[in-house]
Amino acid sequence: MAAVPLAGRLIVPLAGGLIVLFLAVLLTDQSALAQQRGRSDQQGAPVNLLDFGKRSDDSQPADNQTTARPLSGDAGKIVPAPVPAAAPLSSPATPASDMPAGQRSDLPATSLQKRAVSKVSLASVGLKKAATLAPVLNSLIWSESEAEQALALISSTPAVGSSVSLQQLAAEIISIAAVPPRNAGALAEELVAARLDWLARAGQSDSLSQIVRLLPDDDRWAEWKRWQLEYDLIRRADDSACQDAEKNAQRSLDNFWHQAGIICALLAGDRNKARFSADILKASGAEDDNFFQLVDRLLGQSPSAGLSVDLTSLDPVDLILMDAAHEQISLAAFEQMPSSMIEAAAGFRYLAPDAALKTSVMMLERGLQKQGGTEQVWRSLLSAPMPAEAALATLDGLESAGLSARRHDQLASALLWVSLATRSEADTDMLIKTAIRTEVRSGRAGLLLPLYASLVRQRLAATDGAGLSDEIRADFALVLGLDSADQPLPQGLETETRRADDLRHLFDAAHGAGWQPEQLDNLDAWPLLPVLTALGSAAADRDWTAGIDPDARQGKDIPPAYHRLAPRIVLAIEQTAASGNVAETGLLAAMAVQPYDLGWIAPVDSARIVAALKQVGLDNFAEMLADEVIISFLLRRHFTAMVG
């Protein structure tokens, strides 16, 4: 299967028919084992072992709500998060209303059951959920498309890019249960595979899991079924995982399922069974040094010295065992996790700080975690992994030139922010200003704006703005105004009241009010006029010819350099929007925009995308995208030299 997120395990025949029979008997009766453990699927959702709290991405499908179980050595209790030298990280609870679509526990996961797949077209399998941001995102979004066109769009749409709102829109379009496109019969499997692959690349683990559960049990989807078991084990949904392990171990010689059976024995606290099964598997010729080392550690059969695992060959099963053995999962180890498991990362309790930092910013970038959750993870570090000066030096000279693919590594942004949050020296304000400028050049400033706004508020609360230069006051006022235009500026920024008022009026115009030329003058934001017009904003009636000064300046600086979106794609977007095709319009918009930082796209092109989204009834997404464009444009205009 193309782009399968997990490598297949080597199938090694067991030594003789008797051993096969013995293993089959040995790994049966997991349902009885579940009764012995005294737990059932009705006891609640999986426990988040990284203590992230009930984030927007922690919900589980209704048929997968199980209780966390300790591994061997912790039998009979749930072990609280330890406090090692590098303290475990956490994030706050997120209300259900803030949860991304398809992940809220109060919405139905799906109306289809696996046994009913044969009664419907395979191509229609997906998540059945109530309309969230737009009623037009319903089961008919593909009904007017050709299957070949749908397949090409799904395969070509970037999984990650500059716009969180377009990523969320693409995720809804691709994951929803819908009437298949025309002539989908011959391409049904390819369409489903393309959707699974996109969700995997986008890190949409929870939606991916719910769809995988609906797939038939046949060889075409075998690798995804393995992925599902690993996902369940990471999320501690072990009732479901162990049932699958039992079923497959009885009919397969594949080492993977027998390894899963050993893990299930450990989950049940049956050390003797786990030890005996591991010995039989090793004797059969299985070669997986990482796995057997970790099992020995859990069974108390290895020396107390550190493990010698091969970090380049770790897989999710090994990481599950490392976490259970209280072995810290380093960044090098965690980077072996496929992107399809990003949401499941909350199930790991022993992530190293840098691994947890990178995971959190990756989730933020994909719209899988809110700013508040990300900030709490970052603030949980009581000391910075590196000084602010060193963190800035690692980013010195990095320029994305407005291209999403050229952004610097996500971990660099997290390390820089943490170093500033834990700093109190007098030059911290200057370093914050420099950091924001650096992030603008690297193309991630819009994403990180709420986090830097929090840093600014922290500094103003500590200093009341004493000693700030006029330039830094203007920078801080812009950051706070872009983040929360409806909130008054805090003490210390009283001199920037007009700037805050201008920003508030600009965002009002983006949400239905009339635009005012004075605000566009003051903010040097006239290039955004097409975007405001696309949103339906209009200026009050006035005589534009009155009072013209022939000597008035024509512009504040040289016209800025922009990326222009591909004309053929923009024309295709407008054509599909005119025909009312919601799915194709949404995916084409993501295809056109995501490769470029929003502040580097010509506003006239952004306006055409916004207008097309509104035309097909995606008004909320159009406004969200417009807000992102305005923020990115003004950050670039203010913090960089925009020259042609």
Side-chain angles (χ1 to χ4, degrees):
M1 174 176 57
V4 172
L6 295 176
R9 297 281 185 164
L10 177 64
I11 300 178
V12 180
L14 297 180
L18 290 178
I19 296 179
V20 173
L21 179 61
F22 180 78
L23 275 176
V25 173
L26 183 64
L27 297 175
T28 56
D29 202 19
Q30 290 292 330
S31 59
L33 186 58
Q35 295 177 1
Q36 174 186 346
R37 292 186 290 210
R39 302 173 177 90
S40 72
D41 287 347
Q42 304 302 319
Q43 286 182 297
V47 170
N48 187 329
L49 294 185
L50 194 54
D51 292 336
F52 271 19
K54 295 181 179 177
R55 293 190 349 261
S56 62
D57 49 321
D58 279 340
S59 58
Q60 289 290 315
D63 63 346
N64 190 28
Q65 292 186 347
T66 57
T67 300
R69 297 198 175 90
L71 285 177
S72 178
D74 297 327
K77 61 187 179 77
I78 301 297
V79 179
V83 186
L89 308 177
S90 60
S91 68
T94 300
S97 59
D98 289 339
M99 295 179 181
Q103 298 174 27
R104 287 173 49 183
S105 59
D106 58 331
L107 296 181
T110 179
S111 64
L112 300 175
Q113 300 298 324
K114 181 162 44 177
R115 58 178 175 272
V117 169
S118 60
K119 300 178 182 178
V120 298
S121 171
L122 180 65
S124 69
V125 168
L127 307 182
K128 183 176 177 62
K129 50 194 175 186
T132 52
L133 294 178
V136 295
L137 293 175
N138 55 45
S139 60
L140 298 177
I141 56 174
W142 287 111
S143 59
E144 297 301 317
S145 300
E146 288 292 332
E148 289 188 2
Q149 175 75 351
L151 181 59
L153 286 174
I154 294 170
S155 301
S156 302
T157 299
V160 183
S162 60
S163 170
V164 173
S165 63
L166 286 179
Q167 169 140 333
Q168 183 179 0
L169 174 59
E172 293 240 346
I173 291 171
I174 289 173
S175 64
I176 196 170
V179 174
R182 293 193 293 260
N183 302 312
L187 295 175
E189 290 188 345
E190 287 77 4
L191 283 167
V192 173
R195 292 165 62 201
L196 296 176
D197 180 63
W198 189 93
L199 292 170
R201 289 185 287 113
Q204 298 278 341
S205 311
D206 290 344
S207 294
L208 180 61
S209 170
Q210 294 179 58
I211 294 177
V212 169
R213 290 185 185 283
L214 303 175
L215 298 177
D217 290 324
D218 57 42
D219 291 342
R220 178 67 174 84
W221 313 110
E223 292 295 333
W224 285 111
K225 296 298 183 179
R226 296 184 184 202
W227 176 92
Q228 181 67 60
L229 183 137
E230 291 178 320
Y231 171 87
D232 286 343
L233 289 176
I234 293 173
R235 296 300 296 266
R236 293 300 190 264
D238 47 272
D239 280 342
S240 175
C242 291
Q243 289 171 9
D244 290 340
E246 171 198 359
K247 177 180 63 177
N248 285 282
Q250 293 182 49
R251 63 187 187 189
S252 174
L253 298 179
D254 193 333
N255 290 341
F256 173 84
W257 299 109
H258 297 285
Q259 287 180 334
I262 293 170
I263 294 176
C264 288
L266 291 169
L267 288 170
D270 194 339
R271 298 163 61 89
N272 291 331
K273 182 176 181 179
R275 179 183 296 110
F276 192 62
S277 299
D279 290 343
I280 292 294
L281 188 60
K282 185 183 294 187
S284 72
E287 297 181 358
D288 190 335
D289 186 60
N290 287 341
F291 177 81
F292 290 119
Q293 274 196 73
L294 291 164
V295 170
D296 286 346
R297 172 59 60 90
L298 283 165
L299 294 173
Q301 294 180 333
S302 63
S304 58
L307 295 169
S308 59
V309 296
D310 180 2
L311 297 180
T312 64
S313 63
L314 288 172
D315 58 26
V317 165
D318 298 325
L319 295 180
I320 292 166
L321 292 174
M322 286 183 69
D323 195 64
H326 299 184
E327 291 288 334
Q328 189 175 77
I329 300 174
S330 67
L331 178 62
F334 189 76
E335 285 183 336
Q336 305 307 312
M337 282 276 285
S339 60
S340 61
M341 290 286 188
I342 288 175
E343 281 191 281
F348 290 122
R349 184 172 54 186
Y350 286 88
L351 280 179
D354 52 358
L357 285 176
K358 182 167 184 177
T359 303
S360 64
V361 72
M362 290 173 68
M363 293 176 68
L364 178 69
E365 194 169 41
R366 288 163 168 78
L368 302 172
Q369 188 177 62
K370 299 296 183 181
Q371 173 267 335
T374 301
E375 181 175 350
Q376 187 165 338
V377 172
W378 293 7
R379 286 192 182 279
S380 67
L381 268 71
L382 301 180
S383 60
M386 66 171 62
E389 296 87 349
L392 276 170
T394 64
L395 303 178
D396 185 39
L398 295 180
E399 299 275 353
S400 71
L403 300 176
S404 298
R406 291 177 58 180
R407 290 174 170 177
H408 60 248
D409 183 74
Q410 301 98 329
L411 179 59
S413 292
L415 291 173
L416 175 57
W417 191 95
V418 171
S419 69
L420 294 170
T422 55
R423 184 186 177 92
S424 59
E425 286 80 359
D427 62 351
T428 302
D429 297 314
M430 181 192 68
L431 290 175
I432 292 175
K433 168 190 172 70
T434 305
I436 297 172
R437 191 179 300 274
T438 300
E439 291 293 356
V440 170
R441 293 200 311 269
S442 72
R444 205 174 263 116
L447 179 73
L448 300 176
L449 175 67
L451 289 153
Y452 274 97
S454 178
L455 274 187
V456 169
R457 294 187 186 97
Q458 172 185 321
R459 288 295 299 166
L460 292 174
T463 66
D464 291 330
L468 291 181
S469 67
D470 291 343
E471 184 181 9
I472 291 180
R473 289 181 195 277
D475 293 342
F476 283 5
L478 179 75
V479 168
L480 295 182
L482 290 177
D483 179 58
S484 303
D486 57 340
Q487 298 296 318
L489 293 178
Q491 183 176 348
L493 298 182
E494 294 86 354
T495 59
E496 296 296 322
T497 300
R498 193 189 76 168
R499 184 184 300 272
D501 290 340
D502 290 339
L503 289 169
R504 183 171 61 256
H505 287 304
L506 180 61
F507 281 106
D508 286 344
H511 291 267
W515 58 268
Q516 302 178 32
E518 293 78 14
Q519 275 72 53
L520 297 181
D521 272 333
N522 295 337
L523 295 170
D524 195 13
W526 279 101
L528 291 173
L529 183 56
V531 177
L532 301 179
T533 303
L535 291 164
S537 179
D541 290 338
R542 64 175 63 196
D543 182 1
W544 294 102
T545 63
I548 292 179
D549 181 0
D551 296 325
R553 59 173 174 77
Q554 300 302 309
K556 288 189 176 180
D557 52 27
I558 299 173
Y562 292 119
H563 289 296
R564 296 302 303 267
L565 300 182
R568 291 179 180 273
I569 297 182
V570 175
L571 290 171
I573 292 169
E574 293 174 335
Q575 187 177 57
T576 56
S579 69
N581 193 314
V582 178
E584 292 189 18
T585 300
L587 294 189
L588 282 168
M591 186 188 303
V593 171
Q594 293 291 43
Y596 306 103
D597 186 278
L598 297 174
W600 271 255
I601 297 175
V604 66
D605 286 347
S606 296
R608 295 171 72 179
I609 304 299
V610 168
L613 294 175
K614 283 181 64 68
Q615 188 172 2
V616 294
L618 295 169
D619 297 60
N620 284 335
F621 283 103
E623 292 183 1
M624 290 165 59
L625 176 61
D627 284 349
E628 291 176 317
V629 169
I630 291 171
I631 289 170
S632 295
F633 172 87
L634 290 177
L635 284 171
R636 184 190 178 196
R637 169 65 84 185
H638 186 85
F639 285 102
T640 68
M642 297 175 68
V643 297

